[in-house]
């Protein structure tokens, strides 16, 4: 029997369209002998749809038209099985699901929110759990974890908007001490939105105010000089990690912008595969020693955040000093980084298969752990007299 695999994509994120491209690519590469593929599309208003036509990229050219043909559904559990049920007057079970594969990017989905929803329902899924996904989205907390795990990162200063607005001079002083040039970033965004490079103190406040329009948490990092940016994909779980070949990414500006990442910059060097039109060179032009160092740090990073599935760790390298810094993980990367695995001899269908198989194994292992007790502690709880909500409980003691 085939495995009923729901592929979830879209969502209320600036990377909505990128997610559609990633998911359609993946669905077209999945082994249909082994998997019965069920597309699950979340629109920008957070409605869920299913229908085989959602596997065709053409249907996304007109989102309004799509909604006329696809079925609006909700996911739920019944008698130990997972289903998509149609909404509206006559509710019908549209599809049964064994496991789901979220291929989503950005806020409101990739940041652990979707993982949390799936965990609440209880359905097995491929990819990072709530904590790993959430850490991957917060540029401050991830740095605190990296620091604790001796993973190399650039110097930084961070603050909440309210604290900066109360005492800007304090933070400006700390940043000056760190040294210019710096790069100001909203802490939880992505896609280079709200990011500014600042070369002199006089421009700092302006850049911070810009970042504050996007996020309440801000991080200011020291710019890495003599910059070479490389990315490494990692597949695995907490027990085992494999690292891909490295890609070297070239930006058209001082830093990789949204335009570089998704709209292309016209000057392609090397192979450009996957959705991003960024100029990329695979493998990156690094020595074997440095390549190995990056791959080792990538695996360590993956493990430190307890990630799983297919991820991509992005690095900043000071080429002159030969210093490697982790920039950020992409817990569900664009195109699932398949183009970094092909040169290792791993076909995209095999990469997907590996991630799905591991997720099923991990789900089984997780379910062997104790989650809850059969005894109902409330059965010994006598008396709720005078109870007003939970606060006013009187007379009853938890035994
Ligand atoms: N500390 C840094 N030094 C030099 N360049 C940087 C630094 N941090 C980020 N960049 C540049 O800015 C780009 C976007 O920053 P990044 O932290 O990856 O944000 P996003 O989450 O939006 O992708 C990077 O791809 C890189 O080109
Ligand atoms: Mg980035």
């Amino acid at each position: 029997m085939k495995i009923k695999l729901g592929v979830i994509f879209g969502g209320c994120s600036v990377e909505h369209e990128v997610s559609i491209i990633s998911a359609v690519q993946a669905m077209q590469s999945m082994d249909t002998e082994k998997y019965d593929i069920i597309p699950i599309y979340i629109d920008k208003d957070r409605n869920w749809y299913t229908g085989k036509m959602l596997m065709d990229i053409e249907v996304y050219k007109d989102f309004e038209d799509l909604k006329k043909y696809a079925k609006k559904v909700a996911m739920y559990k019944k008698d130990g099985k997972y289903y998509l049920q149609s909404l509206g007057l006559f509710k019908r079970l549209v599809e049964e699901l064994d496991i789901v594969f979220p291929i989503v990017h950005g806020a409101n989905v990739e940041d652990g929110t979707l993982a949390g929803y799936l965990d609440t329902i209880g359905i097995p899924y491929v990819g990072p759990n709530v904590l790993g996904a959430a850490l991957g989205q917060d540029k401050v907390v991830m740095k605190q974890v990296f620091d604790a795990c001796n993973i190399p990162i650039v110097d930084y200063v961070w603050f909440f908007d309210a604290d900066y607005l109360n005492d800007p001079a304090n933070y400006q002083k700390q940043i000056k001490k760190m040294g210019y040039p710096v790069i100001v970033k909203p802490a939880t965004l992505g896609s280079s939105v709200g990011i500014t490079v600042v070369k002199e103190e006089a421009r700092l406040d302006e850049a911070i105010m810009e970042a504050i329009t996007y996020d309440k948490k801000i991080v200011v990092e020291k710019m890495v000089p003599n910059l070479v940016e490389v990315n490494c994909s990692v597949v695995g779980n907490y027990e085992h990690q494999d690292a891909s070949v490295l890609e070297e990414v070239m930006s058209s500006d001082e830093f990789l912008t949204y335009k570089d990442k998704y709209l292309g910059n016209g000057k392609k060097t090397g192979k450009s595969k996957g959705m991003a039109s960024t100029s990329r060179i695979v493998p990156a032009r690094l020595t074997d020693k440095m390549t190995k160092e990056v791959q080792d740090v990538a695996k360590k990073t993956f493990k430190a955040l307890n990630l799983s599935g297919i991820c991509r760790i992005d690095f900043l390298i000071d080429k002159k000093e030969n210093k490697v810094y982790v920039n950020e993980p992409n817990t569900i990367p664009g195109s699932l980084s398949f183009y970094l695995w092909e040169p290792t001899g791993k076909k995209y269908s095999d990469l997907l298969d590996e991630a799905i198989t591991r997720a099923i194994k991990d789900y089984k292992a997780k379910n062997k752990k104790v989650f809850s007790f059969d005894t109902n502690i409330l059965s010994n709880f006598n008396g709720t007299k005078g109870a007003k909500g939970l606060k006013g409980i009187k007379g009853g003691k938890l035994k």
Side-chain angles (χ1 to χ4, degrees):
M1 257 219 327
K2 289 190 196 180
I3 294 172
K4 298 179 195 69
L5 175 75
V7 176
I8 307 181
F9 55 99
C12 180
S13 142
V14 290
E15 290 161 279
H16 182 91
E17 286 83 355
V18 185
S19 157
I20 294 170
I21 299 171
S22 287
V24 168
Q25 273 177 348
M27 288 189 284
Q28 285 169 358
S29 303
M30 282 164 180
D31 183 351
T32 49
E33 296 283 302
K34 205 166 166 186
Y35 303 108
D36 185 9
I37 301 159
I38 300 138
I40 306 170
Y41 167 62
I42 309 176
D43 74 6
K44 290 182 181 174
D45 290 328
R46 304 168 194 247
N47 301 299
W48 292 40
Y49 294 88
T50 195
K52 292 284 179 206
M53 79 288 262
L54 294 171
M55 289 171 77
D56 181 358
I57 196 75
E58 290 296 314
V59 301
Y60 301 95
K61 290 195 170 148
D62 184 341
F63 287 123
E64 287 314 308
D65 206 35
L66 174 159
K67 291 173 192 174
K68 284 188 218 145
Y69 303 106
K71 249 191 200 78
K72 213 171 186 179
V73 288
M75 185 185 287
Y76 92 124
K77 185 179 182 184
K78 188 183 174 195
D79 303 330
K81 291 186 172 180
Y82 303 97
Y83 298 97
L84 290 175
Q85 178 182 267
S86 64
L87 301 178
L89 204 55
F90 303 104
K91 295 189 172 50
R92 227 168 37 80
L93 298 181
V94 181
E95 296 282 0
E96 190 184 332
L97 301 165
D98 294 318
I99 181 166
V100 289
F101 196 151
I103 305 182
V104 289
H105 308 313
N108 302 314
V109 268
E110 188 188 353
D111 54 1
T113 44
L114 180 57
Y117 186 60
L118 300 173
D119 276 334
T120 308
I121 295 172
I123 190 164
Y125 58 90
V126 184
N129 63 15
V130 177
L131 182 62
L135 287 171
Q137 200 72 23
D138 189 314
K139 293 185 197 303
V140 173
V141 187
M142 73 169 78
K143 285 188 199 307
Q144 292 165 338
V145 174
F146 293 155
D147 251 343
C149 297
N150 286 323
I151 290 169
I153 50 167
V154 294
D155 290 343
Y156 69 101
V157 171
W158 81 274
F159 43 82
F160 285 114
D161 55 2
D163 293 332
Y164 178 80
L165 297 172
N166 268 338
D167 188 3
N170 170 27
Y171 296 100
Q172 287 164 3
K173 209 166 96 194
Q174 287 181 44
I175 293 161
K176 193 173 179 181
K177 203 168 150 205
M178 189 168 73
Y180 286 91
V182 296
I183 182 162
V184 180
K185 305 176 183 179
T188 62
L189 243 60
S191 299
S192 299
V193 177
I195 293 185
T196 315
V197 173
V198 179
K199 293 184 176 142
E200 52 190 359
E201 198 175 9
R203 311 308 294 261
L204 179 66
D205 185 64
E206 193 186 322
I208 292 175
M209 295 313 287
E210 161 81 4
I212 284 178
T213 61
Y214 293 100
D215 206 334
K216 62 178 191 295
K217 208 172 187 183
I218 308 298
V219 59
V220 180
E221 292 173 14
K222 201 167 163 63
M223 272 303 260
V224 173
N226 320 302
L227 181 67
V228 174
E229 281 194 78
V230 301
N231 302 334
C232 178
S233 179
V234 179
V235 63
N237 63 1
Y238 69 100
E239 281 177 316
H240 181 83
Q241 304 87 37
D242 277 328
S244 72
V245 299
L246 310 187
E247 68 176 328
E248 185 176 336
V249 286
M250 325 284 282
S251 60
S252 60
D253 211 332
E254 266 174 318
F255 64 94
L256 278 181
T257 60
Y258 185 85
K259 182 167 158 279
D260 280 329
K261 288 175 185 171
Y262 306 127
L263 306 177
N265 58 21
K267 52 166 194 189
K268 290 196 173 76
T269 14
K271 266 194 213 162
S272 178
K273 262 186 163 187
M275 109 264 303
S277 321
T278 307
S279 303
R280 59 182 79 243
I281 298 172
V282 181
R285 297 164 300 176
L286 299 182
T287 59
D288 288 352
K289 187 167 168 267
M290 189 160 261
T291 299
K292 169 90 171 48
E293 180 183 342
V294 170
Q295 287 168 328
D296 287 346
V297 178
K299 288 194 268 186
K300 191 173 169 184
T301 305
F302 185 95
K303 196 170 171 183
L305 300 183
N306 186 12
L307 296 176
S308 66
I310 307 157
C311 118
R312 195 190 78 219
I313 314 284
D314 294 353
F315 290 83
L316 303 167
I317 298 177
D318 178 341
K319 201 63 194 288
K320 212 160 155 194
E321 300 291 330
N322 282 333
K323 279 193 119 157
V324 170
Y325 304 96
V326 170
N327 180 27
E328 57 168 355
N330 293 273
T331 57
I332 307 177
S335 297
L336 295 175
S337 302
F338 76 89
Y339 53 90
L340 294 179
W341 292 98
E342 282 180 341
T344 69
K346 207 184 285 249
K347 284 194 305 195
Y348 195 13
S349 56
D350 293 338
L351 177 70
L352 293 162
D353 199 37
E354 187 179 329
I356 299 163
T357 309
R358 189 162 276 140
I360 295 170
K361 196 172 145 248
D362 285 353
Y363 181 79
K364 286 183 181 157
K366 185 176 148 190
N367 276 2
K368 281 200 191 123
K369 303 266 182 207
V370 177
F371 273 112
S372 63
F373 300 103
D374 287 340
T375 44
N376 178 2
I377 58 162
L378 292 180
S379 63
N380 287 334
F381 180 71
N382 41 34
T384 50
K385 253 194 228 162
K388 282 188 196 128
L390 271 179
K391 268 188 187 163
I393 290 179
K394 275 183 196 160
K397 273 189 196 150
L398 282 177
K399 289 181 184 166

